[in-house]
Amino acid sequence: MKKFLFLVVCISMLLLTGCGAEKEKTLKCSRTVNQSNIKMDLSYNVNYKGKYVTTIKSTEKITSDDSTVLDTYKKQLESTTASLRNIKHYNHNIKIDGDTLTSTIDIDYTKIDTKKLIELDSSMKQLIKNGKVSVQDIKSLYGQLGVTCKD
């Protein structure tokens, strides 16, 4: 009987400590683009558990000595993401500081209303399947955009 109780306690401890549970990993993706008068530094941190993305934090920096270029990019970004600004767990900030525009987007796919996201941006249908985003789909999308990823 003592051995049985000991075994039950050991199994309970394993379950309570999360032994065997998947740990969150981070996929780091980036790309640098240098064109005439414009430099872009793009970085994306994709957190995931198992096959599915939990959060993405993107930081896109555009540097130019031409302020009209930065203003144009800012207006485009604001226009593109305007409909998504009221979705909880989708946070987007754009700022211009000197000769650099910085755009950051934080998305928590474990909490965001993916149906609403697809409703507001139909292109998300390609990425969100059954309410989830697969790491492989993100890697594929980033690869098509010339972005390199490392685990």
Side-chain angles (χ1 to χ4, degrees):
M1 184 65 161
K2 287 182 182 180
K3 288 182 185 180
F4 177 73
L5 286 175
F6 178 74
L7 183 61
V8 169
V9 169
C10 287
I11 292 172
S12 297
M13 292 301 289
L14 284 173
L15 293 174
L16 290 174
T17 59
C19 195
E22 292 180 280
K23 293 184 179 181
E24 191 166 73
K25 297 179 183 177
T26 301
L27 180 68
K28 294 183 181 273
C29 305
S30 63
R31 179 175 181 198
T32 300
V33 178
N34 287 304
Q35 296 177 340
S36 60
N37 204 27
I38 299 172
K39 180 181 178 188
M40 294 184 190
D41 287 313
L42 314 172
S43 70
Y44 310 94
N45 287 334
V46 180
N47 294 317
Y48 64 97
K49 280 187 181 181
K51 297 179 187 178
Y52 298 104
V53 174
T54 55
T55 62
I56 295 179
K57 179 174 181 138
S58 72
T59 303
E60 299 176 340
K61 292 184 179 185
I62 301 168
T63 305
S64 175
D65 57 6
D66 185 345
S67 63
T68 58
V69 168
L70 298 178
D71 290 335
T72 301
Y73 270 103
K74 184 177 181 190
K75 287 177 186 172
Q76 281 182 319
L77 288 169
E78 288 172 339
S79 172
T80 303
T81 62
S83 65
L84 304 175
R85 290 206 177 264
N86 294 324
I87 295 182
K88 289 182 181 179
H89 312 293
Y90 179 97
N91 300 306
H92 188 204
N93 295 301
I94 306 168
K95 69 177 182 175
I96 296 176
D97 186 15
D99 65 350
T100 303
L101 176 146
T102 303
S103 168
T104 59
I105 298 176
D106 294 310
I107 305 171
D108 186 339
Y109 283 105
T110 64
K111 297 178 181 174
I112 199 166
D113 183 344
T114 55
K115 288 180 183 177
K116 183 79 170 170
L117 193 56
I118 291 170
E119 181 183 304
L120 295 172
D121 183 355
S122 62
S123 69
M124 295 301 281
K125 273 185 185 179
Q126 298 172 351
L127 202 56
I128 300 170
K129 297 172 184 147
N130 297 321
K132 295 181 179 184
V133 176
S134 124
V135 176
Q136 283 308 114
D137 288 347
I138 284 288
K139 283 182 180 180
S140 176
L141 174 66
Y142 287 166
Q144 291 171 17
L145 299 173
V147 175
T148 304
C149 296
K150 296 178 186 175
D151 281 308

